[in-house]
Amino acid sequence: MPVGQQQNHHQVPTYPPPESEDEESWLWSQIKAEARRDAESEPALASYLYATILSHPSLARSLSFHLANKLCSSTLLSTLLYDLFLGSLSAQPSVRAATVADLLAARHRDPACSCFSHCLLNYKGFLAVQAHRVAHLLWLQQRQPLALALQSRVADVFAVDIHPAARLGRGLLLDHATGVVIGETAVVGNNVSILHHVTLGGTGKAVGDRHPKIGDGVLIGAGATILGNVRIGEGAKIGAGSVVLIDVPPRTTAVGNPARLVGGKEKPARHE
Amino acid sequence: MPVGQQQNHHQVPTYPPPESEDEESWLWSQIKAEARRDAESEPALASYLYATILSHPSLARSLSFHLANKLCSSTLLSTLLYDLFLGSLSAQPSVRAATVADLLAARHRDPACSCFSHCLLNYKGFLAVQAHRVAHLLWLQQRQPLALALQSRVADVFAVDIHPAARLGRGLLLDHATGVVIGETAVVGNNVSILHHVTLGGTGKAVGDRHPKIGDGVLIGAGATILGNVRIGEGAKIGAGSVVLIDVPPRTTAVGNPARLVGGKEKPARHE
Amino acid sequence: MPVGQQQNHHQVPTYPPPESEDEESWLWSQIKAEARRDAESEPALASYLYATILSHPSLARSLSFHLANKLCSSTLLSTLLYDLFLGSLSAQPSVRAATVADLLAARHRDPACSCFSHCLLNYKGFLAVQAHRVAHLLWLQQRQPLALALQSRVADVFAVDIHPAARLGRGLLLDHATGVVIGETAVVGNNVSILHHVTLGGTGKAVGDRHPKIGDGVLIGAGATILGNVRIGEGAKIGAGSVVLIDVPPRTTAVGNPARLVGGKEKPARHE
């Protein structure tokens, strides 16, 4: 369907972008158009939107500026953080691609997300994940003290605590995000949705590889606690408030405390 | 009972105020008296109390100043926020009346709240709700980008995430408040008490009107998760840690994960 | 085992320190050595590490400076907070000893904690507890308004809400810490580990002494909610996500919502 036609129906830009265009450039042009529209309709936000979006030549610079402002302190200066974020994003196209996938995920999967710039500016789950990607690069470069300082600032500012060694996929949606804790040896696949208060933690009885492994396309409901080196199969759903101490097969739903399997491959489907 | 007599017994001012006085004026005079007493007994707080309370001619100005200071950032200036809060509170007596009802609710229903100024200055649940009321006015005025920016700052600063479209009653107590999430189409009645980590969320399967409707006088315990367009009847009680996916009749208690009804109109009362 | 030998094996300093040395001095010398090493390997952190650790003559001064910077606001100045923290720590060797015990606890009991300076600088649970110890001293000195202002700042900055009247032991580990709520009449023993989202709260039905009493060596899992004036015996374990409304005997495990006893003295051991 032509872009113009769909825009007329929904009053929002289409996504995903046409394959003939560069995805990052397309998304950045959408974000700037949204920011221009909002700056015109809301003069109280104009200088904020100019400083965070419209004055920047790229998504990487806009995001680096915004994160640096959110995470800086009297001892970790915004200039240091800006250089750090921009350096990482500039050097790593795969990190920028993950950012783009996260913005598309919020727009697709969160009914309350009506424009990309809203996610870029306001979603602390999105911002915490972008900061984590940079902290993870620092961790891999043996710059642990800086990676841990960054983790700590994100935990203070966004109440999201992701260990810099944790490995996260792309297309990740951390909705609301307050209280999310993801441990050192956790692995999260692509296109995963994680609600607030979710823990991917250890059982306290193990050292080494002791945190959950989350498959592609998993949905983890608010307040779910997944503990230990368990495997949550692709497309599985974990109910809100569940306490999961066992493997969950692909495309299966687990609910309760302790969690039991209630649908999917292993059990007759009831939730899908 | 005469005011003076009760004061002698409890060392606190009586409430509710005599009906012959204006409630907002009475409350503001109480708050100033408390602040003067505290400034005298604690010189380390004197300039703070002067700046936030004693230098202001009204509760609306004091609250606007305090919220603006708490929520400002390098890009959302405190002067902008102060004008925004004061403009909304000045224009809307019903919002000021809700603030007064919230202060009385904290004093009545929270055993740890011993004076109004403590709630005004220190309770992040109270402050988050007042900021929400202004964000909600902005939302109704089609100023969505500013409303969402305000929601985002409240989520960062207080770890309380209330969508600006959500409709909240008066006499609301958000105790401790960390991690509270209230979705876009949620409605909360009057005189409701909500503990920390409470979610009024969607099930992820619906769009449109997808969040809970909470009746007057409901009590929702810590960590309770209420999902979907369900109705919690007036005077119902939701136990701590419950996961509620069903309607709860008035004056009924629901507990557990998934929640079951354990007392009240539908079942023989056991908890009341 | 000689110190040098163990260092060769683990690349970390040994602990506890030799009994012939003063524990606080030993720990402070370790922290400075870690900070010097990190400042050399990571120039981006050098000025931060110098300002927060290396420029200070003692752990008490370093901690006071760091807390004051984290907790200050436009109305509660860092100089006021620094004087307050340093005054309390200087006057109270038992508070300094509790700080030392908390640092050792994080290093012993948190597998992700690889050096003391990381805990001192980055662990918001550790910092919230140290601020609480000072707030508790203020409370005992009848300086309630200042104690409550401090509690409020800690709740804003770290999302940890500990009433200043609550009594906490030493060797406490608050891991991740987001969302922890500890009520006015709660008592926590020594060497207790508390994960994030844990509530030691009231049932809402009682006034006066209405919060839990936690024995020495208890482990409370993520998201556990313990309500009412119940007693959790020494060495007990409370499972993640449990809702505990009953006494738990010593060395017993409680899990579920509502929690039931599953191992230990009263029931045949299954979890230990």
Side-chain angles (χ1 to χ4, degrees):
Chain A
M1 188 191 295
V3 169
Q5 191 180 334
Q6 191 168 347
Q7 278 183 321
N8 286 342
H9 286 173
H10 298 285
Q11 301 294 321
V12 296
T14 53
Y15 50 84
E19 292 198 17
S20 59
E21 288 186 52
D22 174 70
E23 200 170 45
E24 187 179 339
S25 301
W26 175 85
L27 190 63
W28 177 235
S29 70
Q30 298 295 321
I31 288 170
K32 281 189 295 185
E34 295 167 359
R36 272 192 296 268
R37 178 200 62 197
D38 291 347
E40 272 177 39
S41 75
E42 181 61 81
L45 282 178
S47 71
Y48 167 68
L49 290 166
Y50 185 80
T52 50
I53 293 178
L54 294 168
S55 68
H56 297 283
S58 68
L59 177 56
R61 284 184 185 268
S62 168
L63 176 60
S64 298
F65 176 86
H66 191 46
L67 275 177
N69 262 318
K70 288 264 195 185
L71 298 177
C72 69
S73 70
S74 61
T75 40
L76 276 176
L77 300 183
S78 64
T79 48
L80 164 68
L81 292 174
Y82 176 76
D83 289 345
L84 186 63
F85 293 131
L86 187 57
S88 298
L89 289 168
S90 300
Q92 300 284 342
S94 69
V95 174
R96 295 204 308 277
T99 300
V100 168
D102 294 348
L103 285 164
L104 291 167
R107 186 72 182 280
H108 275 114
R109 304 207 296 264
D110 177 1
C113 181
S114 64
C115 49
F116 297 117
S117 60
H118 172 199
C119 177
L120 172 66
L121 294 173
N122 296 329
Y123 275 34
K124 65 185 195 174
F126 169 78
L127 294 170
V129 167
Q130 309 318 308
H132 164 78
R133 296 198 203 286
V134 172
H136 185 61
L137 288 176
L138 294 168
W139 187 266
L140 297 178
Q141 294 160 3
Q142 312 300 325
R143 297 175 73 179
Q144 278 84 352
L146 189 54
L148 293 167
L150 196 48
Q151 173 196 12
S152 167
R153 278 302 292 165
V154 172
D156 286 2
V157 173
F158 298 129
V160 173
D161 190 350
I162 308 175
H163 195 285
R167 286 153 52 199
L168 307 186
R170 59 171 70 185
L172 185 54
L173 171 64
L174 244 68
D175 202 4
H176 307 297
T178 301
V180 165
V181 172
I182 299 179
E184 182 175 5
T185 61
V187 179
V188 175
N190 297 319
N191 304 314
V192 169
S193 296
I194 295 177
L195 273 283
H196 51 289
H197 301 169
V198 162
T199 297
L200 307 180
T203 59
K205 295 173 192 158
V207 292
D209 190 357
R210 63 196 183 281
H211 296 106
K213 309 295 177 277
I214 310 297
D216 292 346
V218 168
L219 167 64
I220 308 179
T225 303
I226 309 177
L227 300 181
N229 188 2
V230 297
R231 193 163 292 273
I232 311 299
E234 57 173 301
K237 294 181 181 170
I238 309 298
S242 304
V243 176
V244 180
L245 305 167
I246 55 171
D247 286 356
V248 175
R251 288 168 295 286
T252 303
T253 297
V255 300
N257 174 7
R260 61 193 191 285
L261 308 179
V262 294
K265 237 171 56 175
E266 304 290 301
K267 289 259 198 171
R270 295 193 307 192
H271 276 62
E272 293 182 309
Chain B
M1 187 192 294
V3 169
Q5 192 178 335
Q6 192 167 348
Q7 280 185 319
N8 286 343
H9 286 173
H10 298 283
Q11 300 294 320
V12 296
T14 53
Y15 50 84
E19 292 196 17
S20 58
E21 289 185 50
D22 173 71
E23 201 170 44
E24 186 179 340
S25 302
W26 175 85
L27 190 63
W28 177 236
S29 71
Q30 297 295 321
I31 288 170
K32 281 189 295 185
E34 294 167 0
R36 272 193 295 271
R37 177 201 63 197
D38 290 347
E40 271 177 40
S41 75
E42 181 61 79
L45 283 178
S47 70
Y48 167 68
L49 290 167
Y50 185 80
T52 51
I53 293 178
L54 293 169
S55 68
H56 298 284
S58 68
L59 177 56
R61 283 183 184 269
S62 168
L63 176 60
S64 298
F65 175 88
H66 192 46
L67 275 177
N69 261 318
K70 288 264 195 184
L71 297 176
C72 69
S73 69
S74 61
T75 41
L76 277 176
L77 300 183
S78 65
T79 48
L80 164 69
L81 292 174
Y82 177 75
D83 289 345
L84 186 64
F85 293 130
L86 187 56
S88 299
L89 289 169
S90 300
Q92 301 284 343
S94 69
V95 174
R96 294 203 308 276
T99 300
V100 168
D102 293 348
L103 285 164
L104 291 168
R107 186 71 182 280
H108 275 113
R109 303 207 297 265
D110 177 2
C113 181
S114 63
C115 49
F116 297 116
S117 60
H118 173 199
C119 178
L120 173 66
L121 294 172
N122 296 329
Y123 275 34
K124 65 186 195 176
F126 169 79
L127 294 169
V129 167
Q130 309 318 308
H132 165 77
R133 295 198 203 286
V134 172
H136 185 59
L137 288 176
L138 295 168
W139 187 265
L140 297 178
Q141 295 160 3
Q142 312 301 327
R143 298 175 73 179
Q144 278 83 353
L146 189 55
L148 293 167
L150 197 49
Q151 173 195 10
S152 167
R153 277 303 292 164
V154 173
D156 286 2
V157 173
F158 299 130
V160 173
D161 191 350
I162 307 175
H163 194 286
R167 287 152 51 199
L168 307 186
R170 59 171 69 185
L172 185 54
L173 171 63
L174 244 68
D175 202 5
H176 306 298
T178 301
V180 166
V181 172
I182 299 179
E184 183 176 3
T185 61
V187 179
V188 175
N190 298 318
N191 304 313
V192 169
S193 296
I194 295 177
L195 272 282
H196 51 288
H197 302 167
V198 162
T199 297
L200 307 180
T203 59
K205 295 173 193 157
V207 292
D209 191 359
R210 63 197 184 280
H211 295 107
K213 311 295 176 275
I214 310 296
D216 293 345
V218 167
L219 168 64
I220 308 178
T225 303
I226 307 178
L227 299 181
N229 188 0
V230 298
R231 192 163 292 275
I232 310 299
E234 56 173 301
K237 293 181 182 171
I238 309 300
S242 304
V243 177
V244 179
L245 304 167
I246 55 171
D247 286 355
V248 175
R251 287 168 295 286
T252 302
T253 297
V255 299
N257 173 7
R260 62 193 190 285
L261 308 179
V262 295
K265 241 171 53 176
E266 305 290 301
K267 289 259 197 169
R270 296 194 306 193
H271 276 63
E272 293 180 307
Chain C
M1 189 193 293
V3 168
Q5 190 179 336
Q6 191 167 348
Q7 278 184 320
N8 286 343
H9 286 173
H10 298 283
Q11 300 294 322
V12 297
T14 53
Y15 48 84
E19 293 198 17
S20 59
E21 287 187 52
D22 173 71
E23 201 171 42
E24 185 180 340
S25 302
W26 175 84
L27 189 64
W28 176 235
S29 70
Q30 298 295 321
I31 288 170
K32 281 189 297 184
E34 293 167 359
R36 272 191 296 268
R37 176 200 64 198
D38 291 346
E40 272 177 40
S41 75
E42 181 60 78
L45 282 179
S47 72
Y48 168 68
L49 290 167
Y50 185 80
T52 51
I53 292 178
L54 294 169
S55 69
H56 297 283
S58 69
L59 177 56
R61 283 183 184 268
S62 169
L63 176 60
S64 298
F65 175 87
H66 192 46
L67 276 177
N69 262 317
K70 289 265 194 183
L71 298 177
C72 69
S73 70
S74 62
T75 40
L76 276 176
L77 300 183
S78 65
T79 48
L80 165 68
L81 291 174
Y82 177 75
D83 289 346
L84 187 64
F85 293 131
L86 187 57
S88 298
L89 290 169
S90 299
Q92 300 284 342
S94 69
V95 175
R96 294 202 309 277
T99 300
V100 168
D102 293 348
L103 286 164
L104 291 167
R107 186 72 182 279
H108 274 114
R109 304 207 296 265
D110 177 2
C113 181
S114 64
C115 49
F116 297 117
S117 60
H118 172 200
C119 178
L120 172 65
L121 294 173
N122 296 329
Y123 275 34
K124 65 185 194 176
F126 169 78
L127 294 170
V129 167
Q130 308 319 307
H132 164 78
R133 296 197 202 287
V134 172
H136 185 60
L137 288 175
L138 294 169
W139 187 266
L140 296 179
Q141 295 160 4
Q142 311 302 325
R143 298 176 73 179
Q144 277 84 352
L146 189 54
L148 293 167
L150 197 48
Q151 172 195 12
S152 167
R153 278 302 293 164
V154 172
D156 286 2
V157 174
F158 299 129
V160 173
D161 190 350
I162 307 175
H163 195 285
R167 286 153 51 200
L168 307 186
R170 60 171 70 185
L172 185 54
L173 172 64
L174 244 67
D175 201 5
H176 307 297
T178 301
V180 166
V181 172
I182 299 179
E184 183 175 2
T185 61
V187 179
V188 176
N190 298 318
N191 304 313
V192 169
S193 296
I194 294 177
L195 272 283
H196 51 289
H197 303 168
V198 163
T199 297
L200 307 180
T203 59
K205 296 174 193 156
V207 292
D209 191 358
R210 63 197 184 279
H211 296 107
K213 310 295 176 277
I214 310 298
D216 293 346
V218 167
L219 168 64
I220 308 178
T225 303
I226 308 178
L227 299 181
N229 188 1
V230 297
R231 193 163 292 274
I232 310 300
E234 57 173 301
K237 293 181 182 170
I238 309 299
S242 304
V243 176
V244 180
L245 305 167
I246 54 172
D247 287 355
V248 175
R251 286 167 296 286
T252 302
T253 297
V255 299
N257 174 7
R260 62 194 191 284
L261 308 180
V262 295
K265 239 170 57 175
E266 305 290 301
K267 290 259 196 170
R270 294 192 306 191
H271 276 61
E272 294 181 307

